[in-house]
Amino acid sequence: MNENEISSETMELTSPKINQKEKNRKGKIKFLICGFLVVISIAIGLFIGYKKLNNDPMSIYRDSINGIYKKLNNALKESKNKNFTTLDLTKDPFIVDLKAKLDSNMPELKPFTGLDYHLNVGMDLANKKMNMGLDINENNNSLLNLVLSVIDKNIYLKLYDKILDLGEEDIFGNMNIETYFKVNGNNAKFDYDNYIYILKEIKTIIIDSLDKNKFKMEETKITLNTKEYKVKKAIYNLDKENIERTIKFINSKILKNEKLLKTIAESIGLKEEELKEKLNEEVNTNNINDIKINLYADKLNNTIAGSVETENEEIIKFDCIDKETNFVIAKDNQKLTVTVEKNNNIVITFAEEYRELFKITIEENNKNYKIPFTFNVEGNTINGILELNNISETKESSSIDFVFSLNTTIASEKIDFKIDGNYKISKTDISTIDPTGSIKIENISEEEAMEIFEKLNSLFTKFGLNDLAGSII
């Protein structure tokens, strides 16, 4: 028997076994697929059943509050995960750097076009140091190089190659700069973990504060985007009595939660005792109108629209259907509308007595933003565009490229210009003028003063500001 014959016989003997194994394997796969589909079907059925069983107004409100909480919580976590979020302006030294170039056909702005402007501001409040620099260049030739430094109480000015000692002035003491970064006279702690914790706790407190006796539900129809929907209208009545009870309930829950009380106090810049006093104050609802909150839910209790009414006037309303969200605030013939479109573009409009006063559109494309806007001022329409590109963040800095352009006509006068630039803020040590060899301002010679004057006069003449140099010197 040759090798071919042996091979043929062997194949005939083993072939039934192979076929049986293949059938068993396919049978297992079919069983797993069928099992998986059954599990999915049961899960869907249980979900729909749960939604229908929870067919009460309180569950609709609870689901809506949880939905809003999830969106806000995700936004906070996303912001926290960005690198540049830990700058403490009162303690950390930082530098703000701004570069820009102007382009315009306006005769008044023509002398300022085509130049490179560079503004640099550094601040170190902890060590009482400040530095401000301005450079203007034309085709890499310096037209102006100015630096002003404050070191404790000493002020120095570098103008071109001259360093002038301007004497002493308690800039930091007189301005009390730290107060600009405080709330209510105390440092407010900026901490994303605190905000995330407060949001979670307040969400739970608000849900627990709902009074089931103040709910009502009815079947109705609403029209959204020209389409009619059968919905359940869940109404929550916040009359004065319920408003007072709700405020007292929330305040009491905060007062009983020591961690929450402390975290809120830190976040808004109050001492704990001060916050306790405010929360223990008598609740006054005399100037508060009754409020009615309406939520419209579909068959599965998903909220697709809602409104807030006071004194039979609908002051807030929203809808979220077909992947588009509309939010409207209207009061006394004024209406603010915010629309989040299907493509995630955001459109903001404000109208008064049916006249649109402004419209802003935020268009996002791969983390770059184009923001066209229109303002109507005293019958004049102002059109412009702001573009934000190459947004970058590291642990030590944040930067962005921008283009701001305006093109409009006011009172028959054409206004058009474009500013192209870059903004950057960095958490880093700042450099100040080295005062070695500085000249006290009162000791400057006439020759040195004239040299500075001639350079400034040349620059101001270029800008059409001939008399300014003389007034400064």
Side-chain angles (χ1 to χ4, degrees):
M1 186 181 292
N2 59 35
E3 290 182 5
N4 290 336
E5 290 175 334
I6 293 173
S7 176
S8 176
E9 289 178 3
T10 303
M11 288 293 291
E12 288 176 2
L13 290 171
T14 57
S15 181
K17 293 181 181 180
I18 294 171
N19 291 337
Q20 187 61 41
K21 285 182 180 180
E22 182 65 18
K23 286 179 181 179
N24 291 339
R25 188 180 70 82
K26 289 182 178 178
K28 288 179 180 178
I29 292 173
K30 287 180 180 179
F31 176 77
L32 289 173
I33 292 173
C34 290
F36 178 72
L37 292 175
V38 169
V39 170
I40 292 296
S41 299
I42 292 173
I44 293 172
L46 288 173
F47 174 74
I48 294 173
Y50 164 78
K51 284 285 190 178
K52 288 187 175 180
L53 284 172
N54 282 275
N55 193 22
D56 64 277
M58 185 174 279
S59 68
I60 292 173
Y61 275 75
R62 184 175 56 246
D63 289 348
S64 294
I65 293 169
N66 280 321
I68 294 170
Y69 161 74
K70 286 178 182 177
K71 289 183 178 180
L72 293 175
N73 188 54
N74 289 338
L76 284 173
K77 287 183 175 179
E78 184 180 345
S79 296
K80 178 193 171 184
N81 291 333
K82 289 181 178 179
N83 294 311
F84 190 69
T85 55
T86 58
L87 178 64
D88 186 337
L89 298 178
T90 62
K91 296 177 182 178
D92 298 326
F94 65 93
I95 293 175
V96 175
D97 200 78
L98 180 65
K99 297 177 181 178
K101 178 174 276 189
L102 174 68
D103 185 27
S104 175
N105 291 316
M106 296 174 62
E108 301 89 341
L109 296 179
K110 205 66 179 175
F112 300 91
T113 62
L115 305 178
D116 295 304
Y117 299 90
H118 183 194
L119 177 66
N120 181 283
V121 179
M123 191 83 73
D124 185 351
L125 293 177
N127 294 302
K128 294 186 176 181
K129 291 196 299 182
M130 183 167 59
N131 197 72
M132 292 180 286
L134 174 62
D135 288 306
I136 302 176
N137 294 287
E138 183 178 33
N139 298 325
N140 296 321
N141 294 318
S142 177
L143 299 180
L144 176 67
N145 174 242
L146 182 151
V147 181
L148 179 70
S149 289
V150 180
I151 306 170
D152 196 4
K153 296 180 182 180
N154 302 294
I155 306 173
Y156 301 96
L157 174 67
K158 181 181 179 183
L159 196 53
Y160 299 106
D161 58 347
K162 304 293 182 187
I163 299 176
L164 305 177
D165 183 346
L166 303 184
E168 291 188 2
E169 182 69 36
D170 191 3
I171 299 290
F172 295 98
N174 293 338
M175 292 181 65
N176 198 13
I177 294 175
E178 287 194 3
T179 59
Y180 294 105
F181 306 107
K182 291 183 178 181
V183 178
N184 297 322
N186 297 292
N187 283 325
K189 185 177 180 181
F190 188 92
D191 189 309
Y192 279 107
D193 288 330
N194 281 356
Y195 300 148
I196 291 169
Y197 169 73
I198 291 170
L199 182 66
K200 181 181 178 182
E201 293 297 315
I202 294 298
K203 179 264 298 185
T204 302
I205 292 173
I206 290 174
I207 290 175
D208 292 342
S209 75
L210 297 175
D211 182 353
K212 64 180 181 180
N213 296 316
K214 296 292 183 179
F215 282 102
K216 188 172 71 171
M217 188 146 76
E218 58 189 41
E219 302 286 332
T220 187
K221 295 178 182 179
I222 59 173
T223 301
L224 301 174
N225 294 341
T226 69
K227 184 178 178 181
E228 188 176 75
Y229 295 85
K230 290 182 179 180
V231 293
K232 291 167 284 188
K233 182 180 180 181
I235 305 165
Y236 189 57
N237 186 23
L238 276 168
D239 53 29
K240 287 190 177 184
E241 177 189 350
N242 195 15
I243 291 172
E244 183 177 345
R245 181 201 63 79
T246 302
I247 293 172
K248 288 180 177 179
F249 180 91
I250 293 172
N251 290 352
S252 173
K253 286 291 185 180
I254 295 173
L255 286 165
K256 290 176 182 178
N257 188 330
E258 187 62 35
K259 181 180 177 182
L260 179 59
L261 184 74
K262 180 181 179 181
T263 307
I264 292 175
E266 285 181 352
S267 298
I268 64 176
L270 284 178
K271 295 176 182 177
E272 282 186 57
E273 289 304 316
E274 292 174 328
L275 181 56
K276 284 182 181 179
E277 287 179 14
K278 290 182 179 295
L279 294 175
N280 279 313
E281 289 177 358
E282 190 68 26
V283 177
N284 186 352
T285 60
N286 291 335
N287 297 320
I288 299 177
N289 296 317
D290 292 353
I291 297 171
K292 187 186 292 183
I293 303 174
N294 309 302
L295 294 183
Y296 302 89
D298 61 14
K299 294 178 181 179
L300 293 179
N301 285 358
N302 297 312
T303 300
I304 61 173
S307 65
V308 177
E309 298 177 13
T310 176
E311 294 183 341
N312 298 319
E313 182 182 12
E314 201 172 51
I315 57 173
I316 298 174
K317 64 179 181 179
F318 71 90
D319 63 76
C320 40
I321 201 75
D322 295 333
K323 297 182 179 180
E324 183 170 293
T325 300
N326 294 289
F327 185 85
V328 179
I329 301 175
K331 184 73 173 172
D332 298 332
N333 295 322
Q334 294 182 334
K335 184 168 76 171
L336 175 68
T337 304
V338 180
T339 300
V340 182
E341 299 176 335
K342 294 179 183 180
N343 55 8
N344 289 326
N345 288 349
I346 299 173
V347 181
I348 305 169
T349 61
F350 179 73
E352 186 174 45
E353 295 181 349
Y354 308 105
R355 291 185 302 109
E356 188 175 272
L357 297 184
F358 73 74
K359 179 179 180 180
I360 301 172
T361 304
I362 304 173
E363 303 170 3
E364 189 267 340
N365 181 18
N366 196 27
K367 300 301 181 181
N368 292 321
Y369 297 87
K370 186 176 182 180
I371 309 172
F373 59 85
T374 300
F375 288 87
N376 291 305
V377 182
E378 297 180 354
N380 298 301
T381 301
I382 300 173
N383 298 308
I385 298 176
L386 173 64
E387 296 180 45
L388 306 175
N389 303 307
N390 300 321
I391 301 171
S392 173
E393 286 194 308
T394 69
K395 290 182 178 180
E396 302 300 327
S397 67
S398 175
S399 69
I400 185 168
D401 293 337
F402 65 88
V403 179
F404 178 78
S405 58
L406 203 64
N407 192 338
T408 190
T409 301
I410 298 179
S412 302
E413 233 181 275
K414 181 76 173 177
I415 298 175
D416 76 281
F417 64 84
K418 183 175 79 169
I419 301 174
D420 196 327
N422 170 268
Y423 168 86
K424 182 177 182 180
I425 181 168
S426 309
K427 185 166 64 174
T428 182
D429 291 332
I430 72 170
S431 298
T432 55
I433 293 172
D434 181 358
T436 304
S438 61
I439 307 169
K440 286 189 175 294
I441 189 68
E442 60 269 22
N443 294 334
I444 189 170
S445 68
E446 185 177 338
E447 183 182 347
E448 290 168 326
M450 184 55 76
E451 182 183 348
I452 294 172
F453 170 78
E454 288 176 354
K455 289 181 178 179
L456 287 176
N457 191 55
S458 175
L459 175 65
F460 292 137
T461 299
K462 177 178 177 61
F463 291 157
L465 306 171
N466 307 57
D467 299 329
L468 190 56
S471 63
I472 293 174
I473 299 296

